[in-house]
């Protein structure tokens, strides 16, 4: 059996990317680590996000992963370049794949981005979009209530609908975008609510599919694709509440998954230094 692929996120949101990775790369084994104990990352200072991200990376590197996917947009914005230059394995984030998908989908070159405070503040999406097409016009909106709502398993019903409606109002009033990037991997879990609120004429983009495609291309380039179907059992770790994690995970995946609790990352760091 070959080496696994690591996937990190601030919580349950990265499961939206993990599901697409597993669909496109069925022979690969994935180890998922969601830092639910310290989620959300969006409001946190940049240095703290970097510290927490490196703690997750150190844990997965001990598992001999062959590639790392940063499924958290905030962590991607703050740490991708540093991780790519520091680690001996390929590392990708979710921002550039999401930007490419949006440019493919937009007709009028007016794109909206919703994300955490950290992601929106970083300007990572406008930079990624304009690096591909300088004429793209971008409107960003931070949506702080969305991640805690998703982490608590509130994915539908009047409370979720009301939160989505009130949060998206400023972006909806702009009324000129034709494409909306879900700039946080938690948001696909409420994609239907976002689509309903924004309207069927808006092309709502999540980065999971593009990220999985890029992962496949990079593994092929490095001659590291798993060739045999070993029926690998994927591993899912959370630093926080196992039941909450399992509840959301089992609603997102078609079959129950095994969630393995992880020791506190700070404690892991101390014991390995």
């Amino acid at each position: 059996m070959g080496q696994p692929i690591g996937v990190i996120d601030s919580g349950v949101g990265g499961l939206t990317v993990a599901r697409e990775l597993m669909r496109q790369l069925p022979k690969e084994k994935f180890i998922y680590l969601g830092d639910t104990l310290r989620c959300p990352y969006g409001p946190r200072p940049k240095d703290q996000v970097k510290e927490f991200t490196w703690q997750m990376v150190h844990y997965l590197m001990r598992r001999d992963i062959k590639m790392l996917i940063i499924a958290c947009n905030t962590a991607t914005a703050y740490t991708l370049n540093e991780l790519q230059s520091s680690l001996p394995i390929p590392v990708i984030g979710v921002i550039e794949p999401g930007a490419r998908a949006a440019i493919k989908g937009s007709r009028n070159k007016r794109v909206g981005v919703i994300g955490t405070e950290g992601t929106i503040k970083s300007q990572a999406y406008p930079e990624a979009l304009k690096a591909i097409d300088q004429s793209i016009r971008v409107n960003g909106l931070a949506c702080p209530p969305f991640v805690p709502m998703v982490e608590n398993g509130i994915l539908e019903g009047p409370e979720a609908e009301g939160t989505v409606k009130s949060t998206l109002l400023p972006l909806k009033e702009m009324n000129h975008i034709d494409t909306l990037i879900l700039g946080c991997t938690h948001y696909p879990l409420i994609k239907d609510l976002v689509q309903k609120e924004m309207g069927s004429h808006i092309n709502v983009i999540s980065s999971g599919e593009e990220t999985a495609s890029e992962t496949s291309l990079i593994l092929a380039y490095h001659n590291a694709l798993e060739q045999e179907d070993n029926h690998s059992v994927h591993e899912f770790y959370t630093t926080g509440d196992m039941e909450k994690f399992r509840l959301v995970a089992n609603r997102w995946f078609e079959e129950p998954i095994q969630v393995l609790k992880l020791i506190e990352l700070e404690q892991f760091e101390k014991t390995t230094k």
Side-chain angles (χ1 to χ4, degrees):
M1 186 181 295
Q3 296 168 278
I5 297 167
V7 183
I8 58 172
D9 185 61
S10 62
V12 300
L15 293 171
T16 61
V17 176
R19 187 177 77 165
E20 188 60 31
L21 285 162
M22 292 168 195
R23 187 185 73 80
Q24 290 193 32
L25 296 161
K27 294 180 181 178
E28 302 292 342
K29 173 175 178 171
F30 293 91
I31 302 177
Y32 181 96
L33 171 52
D35 191 12
T36 48
L37 183 69
R38 301 180 296 193
C39 187
Y41 278 15
R44 294 184 180 276
K46 182 176 181 177
D47 287 348
Q48 193 173 51
V49 172
K50 289 174 74 169
E51 179 190 357
F52 292 172
T53 302
W54 269 108
Q55 288 174 359
M56 288 193 285
V57 170
H58 288 152
Y59 179 80
L60 287 181
M61 290 301 289
R62 299 267 296 202
R63 299 296 307 275
D64 193 30
I65 58 173
K66 64 182 177 182
M67 184 171 178
L68 176 69
I69 291 99
I70 313 169
C72 172
N73 283 264
T74 307
T76 298
Y78 289 159
T79 69
L80 178 62
N81 292 339
E82 186 177 308
L83 290 170
Q84 286 178 330
S85 62
S86 302
L87 296 180
I89 58 172
V91 182
I92 66 167
V94 286
I95 290 175
E96 288 184 3
R100 281 195 293 274
I103 285 175
K104 284 181 195 171
S106 179
R107 297 172 303 280
N108 69 5
K109 297 192 177 187
R110 296 187 175 190
V111 175
V113 182
I114 55 174
T116 67
E117 295 142 291
T119 299
I120 299 301
K121 186 180 175 183
S122 75
Q123 293 290 301
Y125 271 102
E127 287 172 10
L129 287 159
K130 287 179 181 296
I132 301 168
D133 184 345
Q134 194 65 39
S135 66
I136 291 282
R137 292 174 62 180
V138 189
N139 291 105
L141 176 69
C143 302
F146 286 1
V147 170
M149 184 175 79
V150 170
E151 287 286 326
N152 285 311
I154 304 167
L155 309 178
E156 57 194 2
E159 183 181 348
E161 289 171 10
T163 300
V164 169
K165 185 180 183 69
S166 59
T167 305
L168 292 180
L169 188 60
L171 190 62
K172 197 174 178 185
E173 287 178 340
M174 292 174 189
N175 202 31
H176 61 258
I177 65 168
D178 74 346
T179 301
L180 178 65
I181 299 174
L182 301 180
C184 171
T185 48
H186 283 73
Y187 297 178
L189 289 156
I190 52 169
K191 181 178 179 179
D192 289 348
L193 296 181
V194 172
Q195 183 76 72
K196 182 181 176 183
E197 187 56 35
M198 293 301 295
S200 59
H201 62 291
I202 301 294
N203 184 21
V204 178
I205 298 285
S206 57
S207 58
E209 192 171 324
E210 287 282 334
T211 302
S213 298
E214 188 163 318
T215 300
S216 180
L217 287 170
I218 289 171
L219 288 172
Y221 175 79
H222 289 277
N223 200 28
L225 280 168
E226 187 63 51
Q227 299 301 317
E228 296 181 23
D229 192 346
N230 296 299
H231 302 289
S232 300
V233 178
H234 307 299
E235 297 176 28
F236 297 85
Y237 293 92
T238 173
T239 60
D241 188 313
M242 287 180 69
E243 280 310 308
K244 276 187 181 177
F245 188 97
R246 189 179 288 116
L247 175 71
V248 176
N250 286 341
R251 288 171 73 174
W252 190 241
F253 286 86
E254 288 160 8
E255 55 189 48
I257 66 170
Q258 183 183 8
V259 181
L260 307 163
K261 181 68 184 285
L262 181 72
I263 59 169
E264 289 186 13
L265 286 168
E266 294 102 324
Q267 192 61 37
F268 170 78
E269 288 282 283
K270 289 174 187 173
T271 58
T272 54
K273 281 182 178 175

